[in-house]
Amino acid sequence: MEWLKCGTEFIVADVIRWREPIWKPQPRKSKKPPTMIGHRIITGQISKIDRYGWVHIQVAACTVTPLPRWWHPIKPLEVGLLIRRRREKIGQGRVDRLPWSDESARAAIVGSRFLRK
């Protein structure tokens, strides 16, 4: 599979892949700084982008890489799970997307005046 770099320029129905950090769970009012315990590479299809900047993604695959100093197992996200992330936060993880079988159709959708970002 060939992945294309897209940053935050993705639309509904795109299949995207990005990397995000996993943080150690903490009590709500903890004074300690957050501790990163690993990374998660998520692949999923965008099902909805709402007007408030949230992207709704159905998980297709998830791999977890714990940091060497973290000894507890970290569970990956379940396949089929619907997750919600901010567009800007996804864009920080170097987003790649799968090319469509007909890229001219995607270009027509992106160029449409009815597409909301």
Side-chain angles (χ1 to χ4, degrees):
M1 278 190 275
E2 178 186 334
W3 292 86
L4 306 172
K5 302 275 185 216
C6 70
T8 58
E9 299 301 318
F10 45 81
I11 61 172
V12 174
D14 276 347
V15 176
I16 61 173
R17 174 180 68 180
W18 79 99
R19 179 179 160 178
E20 68 180 18
I22 304 172
W23 301 96
K24 180 181 176 183
Q26 289 185 319
R28 184 173 288 275
K29 297 195 180 199
S30 175
K31 301 281 187 197
K32 293 181 181 178
T35 305
M36 189 166 53
I37 60 174
H39 287 97
R40 182 184 288 142
I41 298 175
I42 303 172
T43 304
Q45 183 171 10
I46 299 175
S47 59
K48 181 172 124 179
I49 302 173
D50 64 20
R51 62 180 159 190
Y52 303 109
W54 291 100
V55 180
H56 301 257
I57 303 161
Q58 186 169 10
V59 175
C62 179
T63 57
V64 173
T65 309
L67 292 179
R69 64 178 179 263
W70 188 253
W71 59 94
H72 296 294
I74 303 172
K75 295 180 183 174
L77 297 176
E78 297 175 14
V79 173
L81 181 68
L82 194 63
I83 60 172
R84 189 176 79 155
R85 300 287 191 269
R86 283 271 188 203
R87 181 185 283 266
E88 298 83 27
K89 291 295 181 179
I90 293 173
Q92 291 176 356
R94 288 183 241 125
V95 184
D96 301 326
R97 71 170 178 86
L98 274 179
W100 286 25
S101 58
D102 186 9
E103 280 290 318
S104 61
R106 184 183 186 282
I109 293 170
V110 170
S112 171
R113 66 186 181 122
F114 298 108
L115 178 69
R116 282 190 297 189
K117 289 195 177 194

